[in-house]
Amino acid sequence: MTSSDLQEQLNLKAISLLHEDADKIQKLIEVQMENLATRYCPLYEEVLDTQMYGFSREVDFAVRAGLLSEATGKQLLSKLERNLALLYEAMNQTD
Amino acid sequence: MTSSDLQEQLNLKAISLLHEDADKIQKLIEVQMENLATRYCPLYEEVLDTQMYGFSREVDFAVRAGLLSEATGKQLLSKLERNLALLYEAMNQTD
């Protein structure tokens, strides 16, 4: 394997791991929303903040380690934020 | 550069980034300790928990991305925990 093949392989792996983590956070928040009587519960906000913080630390690390571009990192973060906002909206409409 | 040179370079970079982050957290907690009247302040506990969580997400990601061994990851985490505990002890002794 050439070094550029390896770099590409590591970059793809990093992005796939981050996608996995974003999916996990989304599912966690989804389940939490379904189980909570109210979406204004401070506990929910706290879990969301903590999860987003943890994910942003991972993305930031991957960017600094040269595994993905800053633009891709920002995309991953904003996509997760958007998905969680949509989830929140969908929940509010079923009231 | 051969692919094993690249892998080694990426691994070293990952470990050096994690050391940097651990140092930053340690300094943050140190400054916070100095500024707070009491070390039993719940805000301090929360900042510490959040920082440790963020750092553990980074380490976990680096392990899964194949940049460091699980043993090295555990070492980095427990070293930071130990240093923070020592800091805490040192603060208590100056009372």
Side-chain angles (χ1 to χ4, degrees):
Chain A
M1 182 162 46
T2 69
S3 68
S4 71
D5 284 346
L6 173 67
Q7 182 73 64
E8 202 191 326
Q9 189 184 301
L10 290 170
N11 296 1
L12 288 175
K13 185 167 188 188
I15 292 179
S16 124
L17 286 169
L18 291 172
H19 273 298
E20 254 175 50
D21 287 353
D23 283 349
K24 259 188 230 151
I25 293 174
Q26 209 175 310
K27 267 175 205 127
L28 172 77
I29 298 296
E30 214 169 324
V31 166
Q32 231 207 350
M33 271 190 180
E34 280 161 10
N35 291 337
L36 284 178
T38 165
R39 269 81 66 212
Y40 303 102
C41 175
L43 189 66
Y44 161 74
E45 295 287 335
E46 208 178 290
V47 171
L48 183 59
D49 283 356
T50 306
Q51 293 296 322
M52 283 304 298
Y53 175 74
F55 187 65
S56 75
R57 297 306 305 149
E58 284 184 55
V59 170
D60 182 66
F61 174 80
V63 169
R64 289 182 298 148
L67 299 173
L68 42 135
S69 69
E70 223 175 294
T72 304
K74 274 188 190 152
Q75 261 171 30
L76 285 166
L77 272 169
S78 61
K79 194 186 159 199
L80 178 58
E81 270 168 9
R82 204 165 48 242
N83 286 349
L84 295 178
L86 287 174
L87 215 60
Y88 188 90
E89 258 180 55
M91 271 313 262
N92 277 346
Q93 281 175 357
T94 60
D95 282 350
Chain B
M1 183 162 49
T2 70
S3 67
S4 72
D5 284 345
L6 174 67
Q7 182 74 63
E8 203 191 327
Q9 188 184 304
L10 289 170
N11 295 2
L12 288 176
K13 185 166 186 189
I15 292 179
S16 126
L17 286 169
L18 292 171
H19 273 299
E20 255 175 51
D21 286 354
D23 283 349
K24 261 188 230 150
I25 293 175
Q26 209 175 311
K27 268 175 206 130
L28 173 77
I29 298 296
E30 213 168 328
V31 167
Q32 230 207 350
M33 273 190 178
E34 281 163 8
N35 290 337
L36 284 178
T38 165
R39 267 82 66 214
Y40 303 103
C41 175
L43 190 66
Y44 161 75
E45 294 287 335
E46 208 177 292
V47 171
L48 183 59
D49 283 356
T50 305
Q51 294 294 325
M52 283 305 297
Y53 175 74
F55 188 64
S56 75
R57 295 308 302 152
E58 283 183 56
V59 170
D60 182 66
F61 174 80
V63 170
R64 289 182 299 147
L67 299 173
L68 40 134
S69 71
E70 222 174 296
T72 305
K74 273 188 191 150
Q75 260 171 29
L76 284 166
L77 271 170
S78 62
K79 194 186 159 201
L80 179 57
E81 269 168 9
R82 203 164 50 242
N83 286 349
L84 294 178
L86 287 174
L87 215 60
Y88 188 90
E89 256 180 57
M91 272 312 263
N92 276 346
Q93 282 174 358
T94 59
D95 283 350

Coordinates of all heavy atoms in Angstrom, one line a residue, chain A residues 1-4 6-7 10 13-15 17-18 20-21 24 46 50-51 53-55 57-58 60-62 64-68, chain B residues 1-4 6-7 10 13-15 17-18 20-21 24 46 50-51 53-55 57-58 60-62 64-68:
Chain A
M1 N 0.9 -1.2 0.0 CA 0.0 0.0 0.0 C 0.9 1.3 0.0 O 1.8 1.3 0.8 CB -0.9 0.0 1.3 CG -1.8 1.1 1.3 SD -3.2 0.9 2.5 CE -2.4 0.2 3.9
T2 N 0.6 2.2 -0.9 CA 1.3 3.5 -0.9 C 0.9 4.3 0.3 O -0.2 4.1 0.9 CB 1.2 4.2 -2.2 OG1 -0.2 4.7 -2.2 CG2 1.4 3.4 -3.4
S3 N 1.7 5.4 0.6 CA 1.3 6.2 1.7 C 0.1 7.0 1.4 O -0.7 7.4 2.3 CB 2.5 7.1 2.2 OG 2.8 8.0 1.2
S4 N -0.2 7.4 0.2 CA -1.4 8.1 -0.1 C -2.6 7.3 0.0 O -3.7 7.7 0.3 CB -1.3 8.9 -1.5 OG -1.3 8.0 -2.5
L6 N -2.9 4.8 2.1 CA -3.1 4.7 3.6 C -3.8 6.0 4.1 O -4.7 5.9 4.9 CB -1.7 4.5 4.3 CG -1.8 4.5 5.8 CD1 -2.6 3.3 6.4 CD2 -0.4 4.5 6.5
Q7 N -3.3 7.1 3.7 CA -3.9 8.4 4.2 C -5.3 8.4 3.8 O -6.2 8.8 4.6 CB -3.1 9.6 3.6 CG -3.7 10.9 4.0 CD -3.3 11.3 5.5 OE1 -2.1 11.4 5.8 NE2 -4.3 11.4 6.4
L10 N -7.3 6.0 6.0 CA -7.5 6.6 7.4 C -8.5 7.7 7.4 O -9.3 7.8 8.3 CB -6.1 7.1 7.9 CG -5.1 6.0 8.2 CD1 -3.7 6.7 8.5 CD2 -5.5 5.2 9.4
K13 N -11.9 6.2 7.1 CA -12.3 5.6 8.4 C -12.7 6.6 9.4 O -13.7 6.4 10.1 CB -11.1 4.8 8.9 CG -11.5 4.0 10.1 CD -10.4 3.0 10.5 CE -11.0 2.1 11.7 NZ -10.0 1.2 12.2
A14 N -12.0 7.7 9.5 CA -12.3 8.8 10.4 C -13.7 9.3 10.1 O -14.5 9.5 11.1 CB -11.2 9.9 10.3
I15 N -14.0 9.6 8.9 CA -15.3 10.1 8.5 C -16.4 9.1 8.8 O -17.4 9.5 9.4 CB -15.3 10.6 7.0 CG1 -14.4 11.8 6.9 CG2 -16.7 10.9 6.6 CD1 -14.3 12.3 5.5
L17 N -16.3 6.8 11.2 CA -16.5 6.8 12.6 C -17.3 8.0 13.1 O -18.2 7.8 14.0 CB -15.1 6.8 13.3 CG -14.2 5.5 13.3 CD1 -12.8 5.8 13.8 CD2 -14.9 4.4 14.1
L18 N -17.0 9.1 12.6 CA -17.8 10.3 13.0 C -19.2 10.3 12.6 O -20.1 10.7 13.3 CB -17.1 11.6 12.4 CG -15.7 11.9 13.0 CD1 -15.0 13.0 12.3 CD2 -15.8 12.2 14.5
E20 N -20.9 7.5 12.3 CA -21.5 6.5 13.3 C -21.8 7.2 14.6 O -22.9 7.0 15.2 CB -20.4 5.5 13.6 CG -20.6 4.1 13.0 CD -19.4 3.2 13.4 OE1 -19.0 3.2 14.5 OE2 -18.8 2.7 12.4
D21 N -20.9 8.0 15.1 CA -21.1 8.7 16.4 C -22.3 9.7 16.3 O -23.1 9.8 17.2 CB -19.8 9.4 16.8 CG -18.8 8.4 17.3 OD1 -19.2 7.2 17.4 OD2 -17.7 8.8 17.6
K24 N -25.4 7.8 16.4 CA -25.7 7.3 17.8 C -26.3 8.5 18.7 O -27.2 8.2 19.4 CB -24.4 6.9 18.5 CG -24.2 5.4 18.5 CD -23.0 5.0 19.3 CE -22.1 4.0 18.5 NZ -20.7 4.1 18.9
E46 N -29.2 19.3 28.8 CA -27.9 19.0 29.3 C -27.3 17.8 28.6 O -26.1 17.9 28.2 CB -28.0 18.7 30.8 CG -26.7 19.0 31.5 CD -26.8 18.8 33.0 OE1 -27.5 19.5 33.7 OE2 -26.1 17.8 33.5
T50 N -24.0 18.1 26.2 CA -22.8 17.2 26.5 C -22.5 16.4 25.3 O -21.3 16.3 24.9 CB -23.1 16.3 27.7 OG1 -23.5 17.1 28.8 CG2 -21.9 15.5 28.1
Q51 N -23.5 15.8 24.7 CA -23.2 15.0 23.5 C -22.6 15.8 22.3 O -21.7 15.4 21.7 CB -24.5 14.3 23.0 CG -25.1 13.3 24.0 CD -24.2 12.1 24.1 OE1 -23.5 11.6 23.2 NE2 -24.0 11.6 25.3
Y53 N -21.0 18.5 22.6 CA -19.6 18.9 23.0 C -18.7 17.8 22.7 O -17.6 18.0 22.1 CB -19.6 19.3 24.5 CG -18.2 19.6 25.0 CD1 -17.6 20.8 24.6 CD2 -17.5 18.7 25.8 CE1 -16.3 21.0 25.0 CE2 -16.2 19.0 26.2 CZ -15.6 20.1 25.8 OH -14.3 20.3 26.2
G54 N -19.0 16.6 23.2 CA -18.2 15.4 23.0 C -17.9 15.2 21.5 O -16.8 15.0 21.1
F55 N -19.0 15.3 20.7 CA -18.8 15.1 19.2 C -17.9 16.2 18.6 O -17.0 15.9 17.8 CB -20.2 15.1 18.6 CG -20.1 14.8 17.1 CD1 -19.8 13.5 16.7 CD2 -20.5 15.7 16.2 CE1 -19.7 13.1 15.4 CE2 -20.5 15.3 14.8 CZ -20.1 14.1 14.4
R57 N -15.5 17.7 20.1 CA -14.1 17.4 20.4 C -13.5 16.4 19.5 O -12.4 16.5 19.2 CB -14.0 17.0 21.9 CG -14.4 17.9 23.0 CD -13.7 19.3 22.9 NE -12.3 19.2 22.9 CZ -11.4 20.0 22.3 NH1 -11.9 21.0 21.5 NH2 -10.2 19.8 22.3
E58 N -14.3 15.4 19.2 CA -13.9 14.3 18.2 C -13.6 14.9 16.9 O -12.5 14.6 16.3 CB -14.9 13.3 18.1 CG -15.1 12.3 19.2 CD -16.1 11.2 18.9 OE1 -16.0 10.5 17.9 OE2 -17.0 11.1 19.7
D60 N -13.0 18.1 16.0 CA -11.8 19.0 16.1 C -10.5 18.2 16.2 O -9.6 18.5 15.5 CB -12.0 19.8 17.4 CG -10.9 20.8 17.6 OD1 -10.8 21.7 16.8 OD2 -10.1 20.7 18.5
F61 N -10.5 17.1 16.9 CA -9.3 16.3 17.0 C -9.0 15.7 15.6 O -7.8 15.7 15.2 CB -9.5 15.1 18.0 CG -8.3 14.2 18.0 CD1 -7.2 14.5 18.7 CD2 -8.4 13.0 17.3 CE1 -6.1 13.6 18.6 CE2 -7.3 12.1 17.3 CZ -6.2 12.4 18.0
A62 N -10.0 15.2 14.9 CA -9.8 14.6 13.6 C -9.2 15.6 12.6 O -8.4 15.3 11.8 CB -11.1 13.9 13.1
R64 N -7.5 18.4 13.4 CA -6.1 18.7 13.8 C -5.1 17.5 13.4 O -4.0 17.7 13.1 CB -6.0 19.0 15.2 CG -6.7 20.4 15.6 CD -6.5 20.7 17.0 NE -7.2 19.7 17.8 CZ -6.9 19.3 19.0 NH1 -5.8 19.8 19.6 NH2 -7.6 18.4 19.7
A65 N -5.6 16.3 13.5 CA -4.8 15.1 13.2 C -4.6 15.0 11.7 O -4.0 14.0 11.2 CB -5.4 13.9 13.8
G66 N -5.3 15.8 10.9 CA -5.1 15.8 9.4 C -6.0 14.7 8.8 O -5.7 14.3 7.6
L67 N -7.0 14.2 9.4 CA -7.8 13.2 8.9 C -9.0 13.7 8.1 O -9.6 13.0 7.3 CB -8.3 12.2 10.0 CG -7.2 11.5 10.8 CD1 -7.9 10.8 12.0 CD2 -6.5 10.5 9.9
L68 N -9.4 14.9 8.3 CA -10.4 15.5 7.5 C -10.2 17.0 7.4 O -9.5 17.6 8.3 CB -11.9 15.2 8.0 CG -12.2 15.2 9.4 CD1 -13.6 15.9 9.6 CD2 -12.4 13.7 9.9
Chain B
M1 N 7.9 8.9 1.2 CA 7.6 8.4 2.5 C 6.8 7.1 2.3 O 5.9 7.0 1.5 CB 6.7 9.4 3.2 CG 6.4 9.0 4.6 SD 5.8 10.3 5.7 CE 4.6 11.1 4.7
T2 N 7.2 6.0 3.1 CA 6.5 4.8 3.0 C 5.2 4.9 3.8 O 5.1 5.8 4.6 CB 7.4 3.6 3.5 OG1 7.5 3.8 4.9 CG2 8.7 3.6 2.9
S3 N 4.3 3.9 3.6 CA 3.1 4.0 4.4 C 3.3 3.7 5.8 O 2.6 4.2 6.7 CB 2.0 3.0 3.8 OG 2.4 1.7 4.0
S4 N 4.3 2.9 6.2 CA 4.5 2.7 7.6 C 5.1 3.9 8.3 O 4.9 4.2 9.5 CB 5.3 1.4 7.9 OG 6.7 1.6 7.6
L6 N 4.3 7.0 7.3 CA 3.2 7.9 7.5 C 2.4 7.5 8.7 O 1.9 8.3 9.5 CB 2.3 7.8 6.2 CG 1.0 8.6 6.3 CD1 1.2 10.1 6.4 CD2 0.1 8.3 5.1
Q7 N 2.1 6.1 8.8 CA 1.3 5.7 10.0 C 2.0 6.1 11.3 O 1.3 6.6 12.2 CB 1.1 4.2 9.9 CG 0.3 3.6 11.0 CD -1.2 3.9 10.9 OE1 -1.9 3.5 9.9 NE2 -1.8 4.7 11.8
L10 N 1.5 9.8 11.8 CA 0.2 10.2 12.2 C -0.1 9.8 13.7 O -0.7 10.5 14.4 CB -0.9 9.5 11.3 CG -1.0 10.0 9.9 CD1 -1.8 9.1 9.0 CD2 -1.5 11.4 9.9
K13 N 1.6 12.2 15.9 CA 0.9 13.5 15.9 C -0.3 13.4 16.8 O -0.6 14.3 17.6 CB 0.5 13.8 14.5 CG -0.2 15.2 14.4 CD -0.3 15.7 13.0 CE -0.8 17.2 13.1 NZ -1.2 17.7 11.8
A14 N -1.0 12.2 16.7 CA -2.2 12.0 17.5 C -1.9 12.1 19.0 O -2.6 12.7 19.8 CB -2.9 10.7 17.2
I15 N -0.8 11.4 19.4 CA -0.5 11.4 20.8 C 0.0 12.7 21.3 O -0.4 13.2 22.4 CB 0.6 10.3 21.0 CG1 0.0 8.9 20.8 CG2 1.2 10.4 22.4 CD1 1.0 7.8 21.0
L17 N -1.1 15.6 20.1 CA -2.3 16.4 20.2 C -3.0 16.1 21.5 O -3.5 17.0 22.2 CB -3.2 16.2 19.0 CG -2.9 16.7 17.6 CD1 -3.8 16.2 16.6 CD2 -3.0 18.3 17.7
L18 N -3.1 14.9 21.8 CA -3.8 14.5 23.1 C -3.1 15.0 24.3 O -3.7 15.4 25.3 CB -4.0 13.0 23.1 CG -5.0 12.4 22.1 CD1 -5.0 10.9 22.0 CD2 -6.4 12.9 22.3
E20 N -1.2 17.7 24.4 CA -1.5 19.1 24.4 C -2.9 19.4 25.1 O -3.0 20.3 25.9 CB -1.7 19.6 23.0 CG -0.5 20.4 22.5 CD -0.7 20.7 21.0 OE1 -1.8 21.3 20.6 OE2 0.2 20.4 20.2
D21 N -3.9 18.6 24.7 CA -5.2 18.8 25.2 C -5.3 18.5 26.7 O -6.0 19.2 27.5 CB -6.3 17.9 24.4 CG -6.5 18.5 23.1 OD1 -6.0 19.6 22.8 OD2 -7.2 17.9 22.3
K24 N -3.9 21.4 28.5 CA -4.8 22.5 28.5 C -5.9 22.3 29.6 O -6.2 23.3 30.3 CB -5.5 22.6 27.1 CG -4.9 23.7 26.2 CD -5.7 23.9 25.0 CE -4.9 23.8 23.7 NZ -5.6 23.3 22.6
E46 N -18.6 20.4 37.5 CA -19.3 20.3 36.2 C -18.2 20.5 35.1 O -18.2 19.8 34.1 CB -20.4 21.3 36.1 CG -21.5 20.8 35.1 CD -22.6 21.8 35.1 OE1 -23.4 21.9 36.1 OE2 -22.8 22.5 34.1
T50 N -17.1 17.8 32.3 CA -17.3 18.1 30.9 C -16.0 17.9 30.2 O -15.9 17.3 29.1 CB -17.9 19.5 30.7 OG1 -19.1 19.6 31.4 CG2 -18.1 19.8 29.2
Q51 N -14.9 18.5 30.8 CA -13.6 18.4 30.2 C -13.1 17.0 30.0 O -12.6 16.6 29.0 CB -12.6 19.3 30.9 CG -12.9 20.8 30.9 CD -12.7 21.4 29.5 OE1 -11.8 21.0 28.8 NE2 -13.5 22.3 29.2
Y53 N -14.9 14.4 30.0 CA -15.8 13.7 29.0 C -15.3 14.0 27.5 O -15.1 13.1 26.7 CB -17.2 14.1 29.1 CG -18.1 13.5 28.1 CD1 -18.4 12.2 28.1 CD2 -18.6 14.3 27.0 CE1 -19.2 11.6 27.1 CE2 -19.4 13.8 26.0 CZ -19.7 12.4 26.0 OH -20.4 11.9 25.0
G54 N -15.0 15.3 27.3 CA -14.6 15.7 25.9 C -13.3 15.0 25.6 O -13.1 14.5 24.5
F55 N -12.4 15.0 26.6 CA -11.1 14.4 26.4 C -11.2 12.9 26.1 O -10.6 12.3 25.2 CB -10.1 14.6 27.6 CG -8.7 14.2 27.3 CD1 -7.9 14.8 26.4 CD2 -8.2 13.2 28.1 CE1 -6.6 14.3 26.1 CE2 -6.9 12.7 27.9 CZ -6.1 13.3 26.9
R57 N -13.7 11.4 24.8 CA -14.2 11.2 23.4 C -13.1 11.3 22.4 O -13.1 10.5 21.4 CB -15.3 12.2 23.1 CG -16.6 12.2 23.9 CD -17.2 10.8 23.9 NE -17.5 10.3 22.6 CZ -17.6 9.0 22.3 NH1 -17.3 8.1 23.2 NH2 -17.9 8.6 21.1
E58 N -12.2 12.2 22.6 CA -11.1 12.4 21.7 C -10.2 11.1 21.7 O -9.8 10.6 20.6 CB -10.2 13.5 22.1 CG -10.7 14.9 21.7 CD -9.8 16.0 22.1 OE1 -8.6 16.0 21.6 OE2 -10.2 16.9 22.8
D60 N -10.9 8.1 22.7 CA -11.7 7.0 22.2 C -11.7 7.0 20.6 O -11.5 6.0 20.0 CB -13.1 7.0 22.7 CG -14.0 5.9 22.2 OD1 -13.7 4.7 22.6 OD2 -14.9 6.1 21.4
F61 N -11.9 8.2 20.1 CA -11.9 8.3 18.6 C -10.5 7.9 18.1 O -10.4 7.2 17.1 CB -12.2 9.7 18.2 CG -12.1 10.0 16.8 CD1 -13.1 9.6 15.9 CD2 -11.0 10.6 16.2 CE1 -13.0 9.8 14.5 CE2 -10.9 10.8 14.9 CZ -11.9 10.4 14.0
A62 N -9.5 8.4 18.7 CA -8.1 8.1 18.2 C -7.8 6.6 18.2 O -7.2 6.1 17.3 CB -7.1 8.9 19.0
R64 N -10.1 4.2 18.1 CA -10.9 3.5 17.0 C -10.4 3.8 15.6 O -10.5 3.0 14.7 CB -12.4 4.0 17.1 CG -13.1 3.4 18.4 CD -14.5 3.8 18.4 NE -14.6 5.2 18.5 CZ -15.6 6.0 18.0 NH1 -16.6 5.4 17.3 NH2 -15.7 7.3 18.1
A65 N -9.8 5.0 15.5 CA -9.2 5.4 14.1 C -7.8 4.7 13.9 O -7.2 4.9 12.9 CB -9.1 6.9 14.0
G66 N -7.4 3.9 14.9 CA -6.1 3.2 14.7 C -4.9 4.0 14.9 O -3.8 3.6 14.5
L67 N -5.0 5.2 15.6 CA -3.9 6.0 15.8 C -3.1 5.7 17.1 O -2.0 6.1 17.2 CB -4.3 7.5 15.8 CG -5.0 8.0 14.5 CD1 -5.5 9.4 14.7 CD2 -4.0 8.0 13.3
L68 N -3.8 5.1 18.0 CA -3.1 4.7 19.2 C -3.7 3.4 19.8 O -4.8 3.1 19.5 CB -3.0 5.8 20.3 CG -4.1 6.7 20.6 CD1 -4.3 6.8 22.1 CD2 -3.9 8.0 20.1

